Amino acid sequence: METAGLTNIPPMDETLAYHLAPKANMASNKPTLPSKQCHFSASQLEKIYRAQGLSARALNTASMLQAYQAEKLQDLHQALSKGENPVAILDEVRRTAGFILRLSSTAAIALGKGMAETVVAQRHLWLTLTELPEGQRSEFLNQSVEPFGLFGHALGKIQTRCDLRKKQEEALHFSLPRRRYSQPKYSSDRGRSRSLSLSGRIAPKKPEESATRPSGLSERRDQPQAQPKQSAWTKQRFVPRQAAAPRPSAVDRRNKQSSACLSRD
């Protein structure tokens, strides 16, 4: 049955899973989906596949038992026509009919489970559009299946909880303080004066000194401005150093002394 694919869904290729969702399959041993919603949908589809596989196996076995039952009925007809005792053949036919009934009920139950899991998967798709927490979603997923509606009798509860959730979010939104990032608007005169002061940097006018000075006070002379100190790292002008005069030798000094003595005489 496993080789025919009637027990489990065909496995996903690991290389393709890593190519499609590298973050989720980087450290996992088997192919996994990235989100919880995808995990739930995949699990529901796997349950549906198993239920359908079980019903297929049951119906296949029931069909083979029906063929065997048809052969036993033919043997029973021959035994009755010959006047033989048909008790053994009747017991075999009865047992075969019991097996067929069990397999038929198993197939019906499996098909019902598959239909129920399909309804749960459909509910999950619609509940993902709401903002309800995961605990409340699981509560609505486990509701009984009704033919008149997807959520059955839980429709009123879903509407009330969705409205309550929406009101809570609106109340929280209005209770939180808001901060406005609007820039202050300047008037035309104030903006013009601000632009002039920033661009021109106009210095204020000094008051004019009086023409007459009081007697007994001398005018202040202009003091020389102090030159800035030069650090050791500042560039200085290069001045070539003059070579020193050669020192006279002892012979030259003697000749100079003798010439001075002759000039005196």
Side-chain angles (χ1 to χ4, degrees), residues 83-128:
E84 297 177 356
N85 190 7
V87 177
I89 300 174
L90 287 173
D91 292 340
E92 191 69 21
V93 171
R94 182 175 55 82
R95 268 193 247 101
T96 306
F99 288 137
I100 292 173
L101 289 174
R102 290 180 184 178
L103 291 172
S104 300
S105 63
T106 303
I109 293 171
L111 289 173
K113 287 183 178 179
M115 295 171 65
E117 297 297 338
T118 307
V119 173
V120 172
Q122 190 76 8
R123 288 177 179 177
H124 173 71
L125 292 176
W126 285 102
L127 287 174
T128 51

Side-chain angles (χ1 to χ4, degrees), residues 56-76:
R57 294 198 304 270
L59 292 174
N60 185 26
T61 309
S63 63
M64 290 188 292
L65 288 174
Q66 286 177 357
Y68 178 74
Q69 186 182 20
E71 292 178 359
K72 289 299 178 181
L73 289 174
Q74 188 176 2
D75 294 340
L76 178 62

